[in-house]
Amino acid sequence: MNGVACPCGSGRVLEACCGRFHAGAAVPDAESLMRSRYSAYVLGLEDYLLATWHPDTRPAALGLDATPRPQWLGLAVKTHTPQDETHATVEFIARYKLNGRAFRLHETSRFERVGGRWLYVDGEIRE
Ligand SMILES: [Zn+2]
C-alpha cells in the first residue's frame, strides 16, 4: 500500500492517521483530535470540523471555500496537557500562506470530552 502522507506531519499515511478519525473512528485523546482537525482544514472537511466542535462555541459555518484560501504548510504540536478525564489543552504552531505571505498560528486550544467524544472548545492565540 502506498498512501498519501498525513497532512498533520506524523510521518504516517493519512488512512492510518487522521483519515480513520475523519471516517468515523473514535478519537482517543485531545492531541489526536487536534491533529485530525488540522488535517481536516488542509483537506477542506468542513463537516468534520463542525462535528468535532463543542456545541457551545461551534460556528454555523466555516466558509472554507472563501477565497483566498490559506495554504497550510505544516503543524507542530508543542504540548498536550490533560487536565482531568474530560479536559485537556494542546499547544501547537500551524504555518500557512495567504496571498503569498507566510503566517504562523501559535495557539493553545481547549478540548472537552462530552459523552465519550473529544470536542474542540476554543483557543487562545499566543505570540
Ligand atoms: Zn494525521
Side-chain angles (χ1 to χ4, degrees):
M1 246 172 62
N2 218 347
V4 180
C6 191
C8 82
S10 63
R12 289 182 289 168
V13 297
L14 177 61
E15 297 75 38
C17 189
C18 301
R20 63 207 154 102
F21 304 133
H22 299 158
V27 182
D29 55 43
E31 179 176 344
S32 300
L33 179 63
M34 196 273 130
R35 287 180 169 279
S36 70
R37 284 175 51 84
Y38 172 84
S39 294
Y41 274 106
V42 175
L43 300 168
L45 305 178
E46 180 157 338
D47 289 350
Y48 182 80
L49 290 162
L50 292 174
T52 54
W53 211 306
H54 197 290
D56 290 354
T57 52
R58 181 195 301 150
L62 295 174
L64 294 185
D65 290 335
T67 51
R69 279 190 66 162
Q71 181 195 352
W72 296 95
L73 302 174
L75 173 71
V77 174
K78 311 291 279 180
T79 55
H80 168 214
T81 312
Q83 263 113 32
D84 58 34
E85 289 287 290
T86 54
H87 296 84
T89 59
V90 178
E91 180 187 353
F92 67 91
I93 294 172
R95 293 179 305 108
Y96 63 97
K97 263 190 179 173
L98 197 60
N99 284 332
R101 266 191 71 195
F103 293 90
R104 189 172 171 273
L105 172 66
H106 185 183
E107 180 178 315
T108 299
S109 297
R110 294 199 301 130
F111 295 88
E112 186 177 344
R113 199 166 158 215
V114 180
R117 291 179 61 232
W118 282 100
L119 299 173
Y120 170 76
V121 179
D122 57 18
E124 191 179 317
I125 306 290
R126 329 230 322 180
E127 273 320 308

